[in-house]
Structures are given as structure tokens and as C-alpha cells.
Amino acid sequence: MQMARIALTFIKYPLAIGTYYEDAFRQTRHELITVCPYSGTWIPWKGGIHLPQKYAIPPDYQIPWEQRNWFSFAQAEELMGHRHIDVWISIDASYHLLGKPREALSVWIATDSHCVDYFQQRTQADLFFNVHTPYMQPGDIHLPVGYSPRWHYPVYAEEQYDVALLGLLYPTRIATMLEMARRGYRTYLDNGPCLDEARELYAKTKIIFSWSSQKDTVARVWEAMAFNKLLVANRTPDLEWGGRQEDIHYLGFDTMEEAIAKMEWALSHPDEASLIAQNGHTWVQPHTYLARVQKIFEVIGLEARS
């Protein structure tokens, strides 16, 4: 297959893992068509907020929002005028089409296997990629997340915070950041800024803090390293995947007390902390979403570039 037509389906919020994959697929030699429900500027953070208009990019074919939960591959194919599709990729963060494509190879990327049961989706997929090894089942192919050079790169600014976290406001995250603030450290915790605004904010912090909800290794791990910031993250089974090592590329913890101790050590040892951050930045360089796309293509027998 010299050049393929690829359909990509995910729930098209202004920010999603699918955002990064779409950008990566468009860097290849293959034709990409997005077929997605589209929320405009709205995203269900904090009960529902609106992000800047510049991030609201509609798909090529828009699945009606009110019909999204029972929309099928057959309906999506009709929506597209039955254009021939070689590979249909579903990036599933709890949203997917029903059934299977009529002719296309059905490829699944399960981004949220720590909290989503993909039993049904595995029956719909010809190939099933799973982000998190602790939740893999026989036949799954490991495909971790990564970072996007378009969005995740170092920006140098005057530091205003000792530690920052942008993400869902889980109790463990809130408690840790509140305790750091109580001890007099400058903290930033929110679930709103993204992409350009997130990069600019993280440029103003010394530490990026991460605490996943289960055994998942979150995208923030890769992004913090791409930003060339010291990552302090809870230990998860995939955290040392690919040669990534604690105390060399990041600082790890299991409890709130250990997290605070690690952050206090880093803030009192800036030279050592900076070296760890630089090591992490060097390590993460190959781990782009384009590299993940290339792995998918290798499995299905496509070349990423001409």
C-alpha cells in the first residue's frame, strides 16, 4: 500500500490526546480524514468550561453531538459519502463508534484503560493498542503516550512558582499542593490552561508535580520532561519504561509525605534538580506522537514517509 486513506475518530474537545495524534498523522505521507463529535470550545473540566477559540478546530466530518453515543461506523461511512477508507483509527478515551468499519482495518488506541472497560471495543478492533501495561490483556500492543514538539517545548521565563500542576483536581493532588502552600512554597494548581497557556505557565515553575489516579502513567510525565522541568511523579509500573530511571530522569514517590520531601529536597538543591530535569529532557526527545504513529504504521505495514 503506497499511500493510504486513514480515518481518525475521537471525541473532539478543544484538547484531547486525539489532538496530538491528529497533528502527528498529518505529518505523514498518508491522507487523513477526521470523523468526530465536536464540542467547539467546550470541555467538561470543572463541570464544563470554555477554552480559547483558537483550539476549536472542527473535524472534516462532524458527528452530530446529540447522536454521538449511538452513532455507528456504518452511519459515519454514510456521512462521508462511502469514501473508501484503508485504516480507521479510534482513539478511545471513553468514546467510540458502534460496530465495525465495512472494509477498513479497525485500529484501536485505548488511552484510558485504567478507568474504562474496553471489553466491547476489543471485539470491534483488528488491532488493539493499549497505553498502560498494567491494564493490558492478551493480544494488546503497548503504545504509551508521548509529547508533541508543536506544543511541548521549553520556554524560559522568570520563575513565579515552586511547584505547579495542571490537571484534574483529585484529592491527593489538592492535599499535597495545599500542604506545600502551608509550608510557604509558591504553588499553582488548576484544571484550565492548556497548550500555549499551559506551556507559558509551566515555564514559570521549578517543579511539575504529577500524581496519577490509578496505575496509569499520565501524559504529564512526558510533557514535563519535554518542557525541561523537574518532574516529581508517583511511582507507576510504566514509569521506568524505555530506560527512564528514578533519581536520574525524575523524582518518584509513593505517599504525600514522600512527595513533599522530594520537592523540598529539589528546591533546596537547585543544581542537582536542574541536572535531573535536563536528563529527563534528553531522554524524552525520541518519544513524540509521530514516533507512536510510526509504530502503528510498522505494525500494519505502512510507511510513515515517502
Side-chain angles (χ1 to χ4, degrees), residues 1-7 22-33 86-87 89 290 293-294 296-298 300-306:
M1 190 183 297
Q2 294 185 347
M3 181 174 176
R5 178 177 289 159
I6 298 170
E22 179 182 352
D23 183 63
F25 277 110
R26 293 198 188 280
Q27 296 176 52
T28 74
R29 65 194 298 262
H30 303 287
E31 180 183 359
L32 182 72
I33 300 170
D86 296 297
V87 182
I89 297 180
L290 181 58
V293 166
Q294 290 169 334
I296 294 169
F297 285 173
E298 288 171 7
I300 64 179
L302 290 178
E303 294 183 1
R305 299 185 183 278
S306 58

Side-chain angles (χ1 to χ4, degrees), residues 19-249:
T19 305
Y20 306 132
Y21 268 108
E22 179 182 352
D23 183 63
F25 277 110
R26 293 198 188 280
Q27 296 176 52
T28 74
R29 65 194 298 262
H30 303 287
E31 180 183 359
L32 182 72
I33 300 170
T34 52
V35 190
C36 309
Y38 171 60
S39 69
T41 61
W42 184 84
I43 194 166
W45 295 344
K46 304 179 184 176
I49 63 172
H50 289 271
L51 296 179
Q53 181 66 44
K54 63 182 177 179
Y55 302 132
I57 301 173
D60 298 311
Y61 294 93
Q62 186 170 330
I63 294 169
W65 186 259
E66 64 280 2
Q67 299 177 30
R68 67 190 186 281
N69 290 329
W70 58 86
F71 215 76
S72 67
F73 280 101
Q75 289 173 292
E77 289 168 339
E78 183 177 357
L79 181 68
M80 293 190 296
H82 297 285
R83 298 176 68 182
H84 173 75
I85 300 295
D86 296 297
V87 182
W88 202 311
I89 297 180
S90 302
I91 302 178
D92 189 341
S94 76
Y95 174 78
H96 64 280
L97 295 171
L98 305 179
K100 291 190 72 170
R102 180 167 46 91
E103 297 178 342
L105 183 72
S106 179
V107 177
W108 230 266
I109 303 175
T111 64
D112 285 56
S113 51
H114 62 294
C115 61
V116 175
D117 181 358
Y118 289 104
F119 173 80
Q120 176 61 39
Q121 291 93 313
R122 283 184 172 88
T123 70
Q124 299 173 253
D126 298 311
L127 291 170
F128 193 90
F129 292 91
N130 196 327
V131 167
H132 306 299
T133 63
Y135 305 97
M136 289 179 64
Q137 296 186 13
D140 291 2
I141 303 167
H142 184 218
L143 187 75
V145 289
Y147 78 98
S148 169
R150 177 181 177 185
W151 302 109
H152 307 125
Y153 56 86
V155 173
Y156 299 97
E158 182 178 354
E159 291 175 339
Q160 299 179 14
Y161 308 107
D162 296 307
V163 55
L165 188 157
L166 299 176
L168 297 174
L169 304 181
Y170 299 140
T172 51
R173 297 173 176 179
I174 295 171
T176 306
M177 296 293 274
L178 285 175
E179 179 59 23
M180 287 293 288
R182 190 191 68 79
R183 297 186 183 203
Y185 296 105
R186 302 167 300 169
T187 64
Y188 189 99
L189 175 65
D190 197 4
N191 185 201
C194 73
L195 299 174
D196 289 335
E197 291 75 23
R199 182 178 60 253
E200 292 166 4
L201 191 143
Y202 276 141
K204 300 174 184 177
T205 190
K206 297 177 181 178
I207 296 170
I208 294 179
F209 177 61
S210 181
W211 196 333
S212 60
S213 62
Q214 302 291 332
K215 295 180 181 179
D216 52 313
T217 301
V218 297
R220 188 180 307 102
V221 165
W222 313 83
E223 294 164 8
M225 293 179 173
F227 288 136
N228 199 20
K229 292 293 179 176
L230 176 67
L231 170 69
V232 178
N234 67 307
R235 298 183 183 99
T236 56
D238 289 339
L239 199 52
E240 298 215 343
W241 174 86
R244 187 168 40 201
Q245 298 179 56
E246 185 172 342
D247 298 329
I248 295 177
H249 303 111

Side-chain angles (χ1 to χ4, degrees), residues 147 149 225-226 280-288:
Y147 78 98
M225 293 179 173
H281 184 64
T282 300
W283 177 88
V284 84
Q285 291 308 297
H287 298 288
T288 63

